[in-house]
Amino acid sequence: MDKFLVAPPPHSGEDPAPPPPPPRRHRWRRIAVELDGRIDARFRHRESRLLLDSFAEVGAFDHKYYMHGEERCRTYVDRMISASTMNLPPREGVSAIEFDKKGIYFASVTFSGCLTVHDFETLYCSIYGRSCSMPDDSSNYVLHISNKISLNAIQWNPGNQDEIACTSTQSDKVFLFDIGYVSSAPTEILQKGKSKFPALYSESRKSLTDIAFNSDDKSRIFASGLDGAVYMWDRRSSKTHCLELMAPQESQFNTVKLSVDNRTVFAATKNGTIHVWDLRGGRASAAFQSHNEVQQLSSVKVSTLLGKIASLKEQSNIVSSPILSIDFNPSCSYQLAFHLDDGWSGVLNVNNLSVTHLHCPPPAWLESMDLVSQKQLRKPTWLPTSSIYAVGSSSYDGIYLLDFHPDTSSACHVDYKEEKRGLEENQPAENKLVPLSQRVLSCAAHPLSHTIIAGTQFSSLLMLSQKHKAIRNLES
């Protein structure tokens, strides 16, 4: 230690004086964050570039399960049929994926009718564990049920993490399964009762397309229908619906979501319109126990909002497109992300009903879009504790990671100035396309980490996580 305390020799007039040392700069930009004990949203957005650059496909799990003895499940059989008939679109694919709120399990459903529940830690450790050995087909899932009808949506019950709800494009019922029971039969079935508007009902439009649970009340379930209504069940009173939220007769709903406070219902249609209902409606709770109508709060057509963006209107011919998915940003309650059938994704500010962010894929996607991406739904996801939106590409084997940060510094913001990017000291994240081995139809992010599970057109599950090299860069 003494050598560090010795004074330097006096400077002689013969030698030139050494240049003054450069000003000391802090190596850690996050020191204030660490001292303050909380992460600022701007800091997270600035550092999200490292996060986006770190993603890569780290594992793939094929859907090739046995049912009874040597009998393969329906999804695997349909996969083989699709492979042998190259001129027809595949008859299978993962239609939806959902994590439970703790991230212990995730469930997926296929267009062929399979419901599968996986233990996330088992799959993750099979890749990053000490042996790095892949589990065999008989041990890499908790539950596998092969139904006779196609499944298109899945949701965990937030009040009961052993319960899963599913809907089918071939039925007007909601099927509930308990993963604690090894049974292929649902533990409960909810069905639509007699409608107030029988003229809207037809066999060709009877199916339910999406599900949403009330996070404060596990007994209330909402489902969107192709017949132009959103239905609500109260399981404490009946197995038939007790409330209908109506839209114009020509509407066909693809998806439904509840606001963070569970007071407002948002549903999107095939004609590109988002409808909004306020469940309070200025009325007593009796509205939930009868067929009293809840008045629609508002409705907005996305193509009309896009036409108000001057820079977009000058470059593109804006046409109405079906809305395939909507979802609220878990870290920003007023941001409602939407994904359109033409591959565009954006954000609707529900406070003022304006489009604030938009991502349009490269023009090449128009030439390479195939029958699969036209006919099958794509269900994106938000990454936790960030404003990154993950959506499967319509034209490439990959997944887009989009910067939807609620500020003009976002790369997707409609008021973002590209010419100012080089002048910024801390440049924000850019949109990223992560190449994958298969075409993605749906995806879900782990609620406590940044791992993504993606379902493909061939019913495989792909795991996207951070590369080891990128993780070391983040730690340094």
Side-chain angles (χ1 to χ4, degrees):
M1 288 293 294
D2 292 342
K3 65 179 180 179
F4 296 106
L5 302 178
V6 176
H11 173 67
S12 62
E14 300 177 358
D15 299 327
R24 185 176 180 180
R25 305 179 67 178
H26 290 289
R27 180 183 177 187
W28 300 101
R29 290 198 304 266
R30 52 185 165 180
I31 187 67
V33 177
E34 295 172 346
L35 291 175
D36 191 36
R38 58 187 178 87
I39 300 178
D40 181 77
R42 291 185 178 181
F43 170 81
R44 184 184 290 116
H45 181 225
R46 187 172 62 243
E47 299 301 316
S48 59
R49 168 177 290 192
L50 296 175
L51 174 64
L52 297 188
D53 290 341
S54 68
F55 273 103
E57 179 182 333
V58 297
F61 305 91
D62 295 331
H63 189 118
K64 48 183 180 181
Y65 305 134
Y66 288 99
M67 290 300 299
H68 305 287
E70 297 298 320
E71 180 185 353
R72 292 287 190 176
C73 73
R74 290 176 59 89
T75 297
Y76 181 81
V77 172
D78 286 350
R79 173 75 188 97
M80 295 299 100
I81 295 175
S82 300
S84 61
T85 56
M86 301 300 294
N87 295 329
L88 297 175
R91 299 171 54 186
E92 41 87 42
V94 177
S95 52
I97 304 176
E98 187 77 17
F99 274 95
D100 68 5
K101 65 180 181 181
K102 295 182 179 179
I104 299 175
Y105 301 108
F106 69 90
S108 62
V109 289
T110 67
F111 288 106
S112 299
C114 284
L115 164 62
T116 311
V117 179
H118 291 266
D119 183 287
F120 171 74
E121 186 176 355
T122 299
L123 293 191
Y124 190 86
C125 291
S126 70
I127 299 171
Y128 288 115
R130 202 172 274 181
S131 61
C132 294
S133 61
M134 301 288 283
D136 57 40
D137 296 338
S138 62
S139 63
N140 69 347
Y141 62 88
V142 176
L143 177 68
H144 176 259
I145 299 172
S146 186
N147 297 275
K148 296 181 180 180
I149 58 176
S150 173
L151 298 176
N152 63 287
I154 187 169
Q155 283 289 325
W156 290 85
N157 186 341
N160 179 7
Q161 291 295 277
D162 287 336
E163 189 173 60
I164 302 171
C166 303
T167 59
S168 171
T169 54
Q170 301 171 6
S171 173
D172 59 355
K173 299 178 176 64
V174 176
F175 304 94
L176 293 109
F177 296 88
D178 192 324
I179 65 173
Y181 294 93
V182 184
S183 172
S184 59
T187 55
E188 189 175 354
I189 298 178
L190 307 178
Q191 57 187 9
K192 293 194 296 187
K194 186 177 180 180
S195 174
K196 292 187 301 178
F197 306 94
L200 299 183
Y201 185 83
S202 67
E203 285 296 321
S204 61
R205 299 174 59 181
K206 69 176 184 179
S207 64
L208 300 175
T209 55
D210 199 9
I211 325 166
F213 274 94
N214 185 317
S215 60
D216 294 336
D217 188 345
K218 64 180 181 180
S219 62
R220 289 179 180 172
I221 300 178
F222 294 80
S224 54
L226 290 179
D227 55 1
V230 173
Y231 298 90
M232 193 201 80
W233 288 263
D234 190 333
R235 299 166 62 188
R236 296 167 297 187
S237 59
S238 174
K239 292 185 179 181
T240 59
H241 78 274
C242 63
L243 182 66
E244 292 176 71
L245 307 178
M246 302 305 302
Q249 184 172 352
E250 68 277 6
S251 301
Q252 291 181 279
F253 287 109
N254 275 332
T255 180
V256 61
K257 282 292 181 294
L258 267 70
S259 59
V260 177
D261 58 8
N262 296 298
R263 296 176 177 179
T264 314
V265 177
F266 292 77
T269 69
K270 287 190 174 184
N271 68 358
T273 303
I274 297 177
H275 297 271
V276 188
W277 296 268
D278 189 339
L279 294 177
R280 297 165 296 177
R283 300 173 179 171
S285 60
F288 292 105
Q289 302 170 12
S290 67
H291 286 278
N292 294 336
E293 184 179 357
V294 175
Q295 296 291 336
Q296 189 173 121
L297 184 64
S298 62
S299 64
V300 60
K301 201 170 184 64
V302 171
S303 59
T304 301
L305 299 181
L306 297 180
K308 297 179 180 180
I309 304 174
S311 57
L312 178 65
K313 190 175 182 179
E314 294 174 357
Q315 303 177 34
S316 305
N317 181 23
I318 302 172
V319 297
S320 180
S321 182
I323 302 174
L324 301 183
S325 177
I326 56 174
D327 196 8
F328 277 97
N329 184 351
S331 61
C332 185
S333 60
Y334 61 84
Q335 280 193 312
L336 180 68
F338 59 84
H339 181 67
L340 307 181
D341 185 56
D342 56 12
W344 292 18
S345 299
V347 169
L348 175 70
N349 184 330
V350 298
N351 290 338
N352 55 22
L353 295 181
S354 64
V355 173
T356 58
H357 297 69
L358 188 66
H359 174 258
C360 309
W365 77 277
L366 291 170
E367 302 175 0
S368 58
M369 178 179 278
D370 55 18
L371 292 174
V372 178
S373 56
Q374 288 179 351
K375 292 182 177 297
Q376 295 183 344
L377 298 181
R378 293 182 296 279
K379 296 193 175 181
T381 185
W382 287 95
L383 268 64
T385 66
S386 70
S387 292
I388 304 300
Y389 189 63
V391 56
S393 171
S394 305
S395 53
Y396 304 104
D397 293 346
I399 190 170
Y400 281 108
L401 300 178
L402 306 177
D403 173 23
F404 281 166
H405 182 71
D407 190 80
T408 56
S409 61
S410 165
C412 286
H413 199 281
V414 295
D415 294 327
Y416 176 70
K417 303 298 182 182
E418 183 69 28
E419 59 271 13
K420 293 184 178 181
R421 171 174 290 274
L423 302 177
E424 297 176 358
E425 179 181 356
N426 300 312
Q427 296 182 2
E430 296 179 348
N431 301 326
K432 199 80 174 178
L433 175 64
V434 180
L436 300 176
S437 58
Q438 297 181 32
R439 186 71 53 85
V440 172
L441 299 182
S442 58
C443 56
H446 191 279
L448 303 178
S449 71
H450 290 116
T451 301
I452 300 173
I453 302 295
T456 74
Q457 68 184 66
F458 299 131
S459 299
S460 299
L461 296 174
L462 307 181
M463 183 178 290
L464 287 74
S465 190
Q466 294 171 296
K467 297 175 289 187
H468 288 299
K469 181 178 180 181
I471 293 175
R472 287 197 298 269
N473 290 338
L474 285 171
E475 291 175 347
S476 62

